Amino acid sequence: MPSSVLSCYFVGIEAEEVIIEADISKGVPQFNIVGLPEAMVKESRDRVNSVLKNNGWSPRLKKIVVNLAPAGVKKSGAHFDLPIAISLLLEQGLIKKENINNYFLMGELSLEGKLRGVIGTLSAAIFAKKKNKTLIIPKENLREALLIKDLKVLAFNNIKEVVSFLNGEFYPENTTEIQIDLSPDYEVDFSEVVGQYHVKRALEISAAGGHNVLMVGPPGSGKSMLAKRIPTILPKMSSEEIIETTRIYSIAKKLNKKMPVIKRRPFRAPHHTISDVGLIGGGQPPSPGEVSLAHNGVLFLDEFPEFKRSALEVLRQPLEDKKVQIVRASSSVIFPANFILIGAMNPCTDTVSGEECPHYIRKRYYTRLSKPLLDRIDIIVEVPRVPINEIRSEKKRESSSEIRERVEFAREIQRKRFGTPLKTNSDMSKKEIKKHIELNNSSQKLLDFSVEKFKLSARSYDKILKLSRTIADLEGADKIEESHIAEAIQYRIYEDSLLF
Ligand SMILES: Nc1ncnc2c1ncn2[C@@H]1O[C@H](COP(=O)(O)OP(=O)(O)OP(=O)(O)O)[C@@H](O)[C@H]1O
Ligand SMILES: [Mg+2]
C-alpha cells in the first residue's frame, strides 16, 4: 500500500485537493513523478533528492514513483516539494503518523531542507478550513494564512522540524495568539494636493458611487498625483476584501516578507504598451492580470488614448462583469476584477504655441478613444495647472480620512438600497434607475432644459441620473434636487461638446 499525503493545486484562485502517493520498490534506480506535473513540479524531484541525501534519508538504489492524483489536471508550483518528501519518508517508515491525512502540506525546499515561501497559501487555507484539515506551511506564509479565522495552521522553518513534529517530538509555536494589524497604512494623502477643489470633488463622487473617471489636463497638472490618492478615500477594506485581494496577489506571486497581506486598496497603473495578457491575465498556469491586481481598488490608465484599441476592448468584460474569464483549450479560470477605472489624458494642444487645438482637431483626437470604454466612464473632469505660488501656500487642506467618512456614509445608503456592499450607483440598470431615482418638478425641468441647451446625448442622460443619485447620497438626501442635477451635468458637458 503506497503512502499518501495531501496537498493542493490551484484553479484560478481556488485550491483543489491533490493526493500525493509514493511508492518505493526494488528495480532499476530511478525517480519519477507522474500525474501531469509541469516543469516546476518535475524539478521537485531534484530538490527532494538532495534534501533526502543531505539529511541521510535517501532510499538507496531503489525505484521511486510519486503520483499526483487526480491525474487528469496539470499541476504547477514549487509547493509540492514538502509533501513529496514527506510521502517518501512515510513510505520508508521514517515517519510514523497514523492520521497524516488530517494535514494539508505545502512548501518549497532548499537543497539542505529549509522551507521557502510558496504561492496560494491563502487559497489553501480557505480550502483546508472547509475540509477541516490542519495546514502545514513555511513560516514565511504564516501571516497570510492567519487571515482566515479559526484555521488550524502550523508553520515550520525546515523539513527536520516537520518530521520531528509528525513523529511527536516537536511542537511549533502556538499561532492562535498572533495578531495581525490590518489597518491600512497609505503613504499618500489627499491633503498633499493643493487646490483642484472641483477635481477632488469629482473624485469623491467617483469613490462614493463607484463611477469611472477620465481626467483631462496638461502635463504636470497633478493627474497622476490625484489618481494615486483615490484608494485613500475609498471605504476601508472589509476583511472579506482583504482576503480576496490577498488571494489574487498570492497566486500572482506578488506577496513577500515585507508585504504578506494586502491591506491597502490596490492602485495599478500599467503602461500603455502593456500586452493584452498582461492587462487581462493569462499564461500557463493562468496568472491574474492588471485588472485583477486592481481588484477592490483603482486601475489607472495614464495617457489613455495611447492604449491599443485591443487592450481597451479587453477591458469591456471586467468592466461589465467585474471578473475575467480566461479560456484555455482544456479549462477556463475566473479571476475577480472589480475596480474603479481612472483614465488620464492631455488635452489636444498645438506643440509649438501650446494653445489648445481648434475644435475640429480636438474632436478628432477625442474620437480616437474607444467608444465602448467611454460608455463606462461617468465623469469627465478637466484638471488645470495650479499656479506655482498657490502650490507653495500652506493652507490647511482636507485629509483623506475626512473625505473617506463622507464616502462611507454614501456607500452605507447604497448598501441598504441594493442589499449588498458589492453594488454601487454606477451599476444601476435602466430599471433600477427608474426605481431609485425620483426627480422633483424643478430638477426634471432643469434636466430637460440642459439636454436641449448642451445637446446632451441619450447615454449622458442616464449617467447624469446615476451621478445625481450619488451626489444626493453624499448629502443624505432622498429626493434628487436641482442642485444635484446641476452638478452632475458638469461632469458630462466635456464629452458631449466634443462628440456630438
Ligand atoms: N495641485 C497640486 N498640489 C501639489 N503638488 C502638485 C499639484 N499639481 C502638481 N503638483 C506637483 O507636480 C508634480 C507633477 O504632477 P503629476 O505627475 O501628477 O502631473 P500629471 O498631470 O500626471 O502630468 P503628466 O501629464 O505629465 O503625466 C507632482 O508630483 C507634484 O509634486
Ligand atoms: Mg501623470
Side-chain angles (χ1 to χ4, degrees):
M1 179 68 191
S3 314
S4 73
V5 172
L6 301 181
S7 187
C8 46
Y9 68 97
F10 303 104
V11 182
I13 56 168
E14 300 298 332
E16 300 282 347
E17 185 175 277
V18 175
I19 302 168
I20 298 173
E21 300 170 311
D23 187 40
I24 303 177
S25 58
K26 284 196 191 123
V28 182
Q30 53 181 308
F31 186 165
N32 283 322
I33 298 178
V34 297
L36 290 189
E38 302 230 305
M40 214 191 293
V41 182
K42 283 191 192 140
E43 287 173 1
S44 268
R45 187 179 57 186
D46 299 326
R47 285 192 296 270
V48 169
N49 233 345
S50 293
V51 171
L52 297 186
K53 219 181 282 160
N54 291 337
N55 285 283
W57 296 328
S58 212
R60 282 180 180 270
L61 304 174
K62 292 280 169 62
K63 180 181 168 192
I64 301 172
V65 180
V66 169
N67 179 38
L68 311 179
V73 282
K74 283 189 184 158
K75 293 149 201 103
S76 60
H79 63 276
F80 292 116
D81 289 4
L82 178 68
I84 288 176
I86 296 295
S87 70
L88 289 169
L89 295 177
L90 269 170
E91 176 69 5
Q92 295 181 77
L94 293 170
I95 291 176
K96 297 188 177 51
K97 187 84 184 164
E98 300 202 328
N99 50 358
I100 185 77
N101 285 344
N102 288 347
Y103 300 92
F104 271 145
L105 292 91
M106 294 175 75
E108 179 180 337
L109 288 167
S110 76
L111 297 186
E112 80 261 37
K114 269 207 196 107
L115 277 170
R116 292 198 169 124
V118 294
I119 67 164
T121 306
L122 190 48
S123 301
I126 291 169
F127 187 62
K129 186 173 168 186
K130 198 168 94 191
K131 296 269 169 178
N132 196 22
K133 307 273 183 195
T134 301
L135 190 63
I136 289 183
I137 50 171
K139 260 255 168 75
E140 196 179 317
N141 298 121
L142 180 60
R143 292 197 168 263
E144 190 184 328
L146 287 178
L147 280 179
I148 303 300
K149 283 213 178 72
D150 304 322
L151 171 76
K152 288 181 274 179
V153 57
L154 299 167
F156 297 88
N157 292 302
N158 54 57
I159 188 170
K160 272 203 166 137
E161 286 182 3
V162 180
V163 172
S164 308
F165 165 73
L166 292 174
N167 281 332
E169 295 153 3
F170 169 81
Y171 204 83
E173 106 185 88
N174 180 2
T175 57
T176 48
E177 301 293 302
I178 299 176
Q179 297 283 334
I180 40 176
D181 176 18
L182 290 182
S183 46
D185 46 351
Y186 292 104
E187 282 155 359
V188 294
D189 196 278
F190 254 87
S191 59
E192 291 147 358
V193 183
V194 180
Q196 306 290 28
Y197 298 106
H198 74 290
V199 187
K200 288 187 190 171
R201 168 72 180 166
L203 297 181
E204 177 176 333
I205 294 167
S206 154
H211 303 282
N212 299 324
V213 180
L214 177 61
M215 292 191 272
V216 185
S221 59
K223 302 181 295 295
S224 300
M225 187 185 190
L226 284 151
K228 243 179 237 154
R229 284 156 179 77
I230 298 173
T232 68
I233 60 166
L234 284 167
K236 276 216 181 88
M237 280 174 109
S238 66
S239 50
E240 287 81 26
E241 286 177 316
I242 291 178
I243 289 171
E244 217 178 14
T245 312
T246 304
R247 280 173 90 176
I248 297 170
Y249 276 69
S250 179
I251 294 288
K253 300 195 179 88
K254 299 259 186 236
L255 298 181
N256 51 45
K257 277 190 191 137
K258 259 180 74 191
M259 193 176 66
V261 168
I262 304 295
K263 50 188 192 176
R264 291 180 197 164
R265 290 195 179 270
F267 175 80
R268 301 296 298 184
H271 191 254
H272 61 77
T273 53
I274 190 169
S275 67
D276 295 357
V277 167
L279 194 57
I280 210 84
Q284 188 53 264
S287 187
E290 289 293 332
V291 293
S292 296
L293 295 170
H295 182 57
N296 288 324
V298 170
L299 182 70
F300 179 52
L301 303 184
D302 207 354
E303 301 186 57
F304 201 53
E306 302 301 324
F307 277 81
K308 278 188 308 199
R309 211 156 253 269
S310 68
L312 298 179
E313 296 299 317
V314 295
L315 281 175
R316 287 167 69 173
Q317 193 205 3
L319 284 171
E320 277 314 315
D321 305 338
K322 302 181 187 251
K323 59 186 182 207
V324 282
Q325 185 172 22
I326 297 166
V327 182
R328 292 282 124 146
S330 57
S331 61
S332 81
V333 303
I334 288 176
F335 290 116
N338 183 12
F339 52 82
I340 294 185
L341 177 73
I342 307 289
M345 63 187 264
N346 296 323
C348 177
T349 47
D350 186 288
T351 40
V352 183
S353 66
E355 306 231 319
E356 206 168 345
C357 304
H359 184 263
Y360 75 98
I361 296 185
R362 279 169 62 199
K363 193 166 164 161
R364 201 162 57 200
Y365 182 71
Y366 193 76
T367 43
R368 268 173 60 199
L369 298 178
S370 153
K371 274 263 174 54
L373 212 57
L374 280 175
D375 263 338
R376 300 291 306 177
I377 288 180
D378 291 348
I379 296 176
I380 302 187
V381 61
E382 288 187 82
V383 186
R385 266 202 203 101
V386 174
I388 192 82
N389 53 350
E390 214 178 293
I391 289 201
R392 290 209 202 94
S393 80
E394 285 293 320
K395 252 196 274 164
K396 167 105 181 69
R397 293 175 291 269
E398 224 179 7
S399 70
S400 291
S401 65
E402 288 168 88
I403 304 173
R404 187 172 59 231
E405 260 178 46
R406 295 195 295 267
V407 168
E408 282 177 342
F409 173 77
R411 286 276 181 128
E412 180 56 23
I413 294 175
Q414 294 167 73
R415 197 188 59 71
K416 288 196 183 120
R417 174 176 302 137
F418 302 118
T420 161
L422 298 176
K423 195 162 173 168
T424 51
N425 289 337
S426 65
D427 303 319
M428 277 189 285
S429 63
K430 270 197 183 303
K431 217 164 136 195
E432 285 167 319
I433 291 178
K434 269 222 168 84
K435 183 168 168 207
H436 298 298
I437 299 180
E438 199 185 320
L439 301 189
N440 62 20
N441 249 347
S442 54
S443 44
Q444 184 67 57
K445 253 197 203 136
L446 174 65
L447 185 53
D448 293 344
F449 170 77
S450 312
V451 166
E452 202 51 31
K453 173 146 194 261
F454 300 112
K455 304 207 169 14
L456 296 176
S457 62
R459 70 170 175 187
S460 269
Y461 192 89
D462 280 353
K463 287 178 184 183
I464 289 168
L465 290 175
K466 290 186 203 179
L467 285 170
S468 59
R469 181 66 273 165
T470 303
I471 294 165
D473 287 345
L474 278 164
E475 270 177 26
D478 198 24
K479 292 244 163 62
I480 309 281
E481 308 284 339
E482 238 174 314
S483 62
H484 308 140
I485 293 279
E487 185 177 358
I489 290 169
Q490 298 300 313
Y491 305 119
R492 299 304 314 160
I493 289 176
Y494 188 90
E495 178 176 319
D496 287 14
S497 71
L498 285 179
L499 276 187
F500 304 99

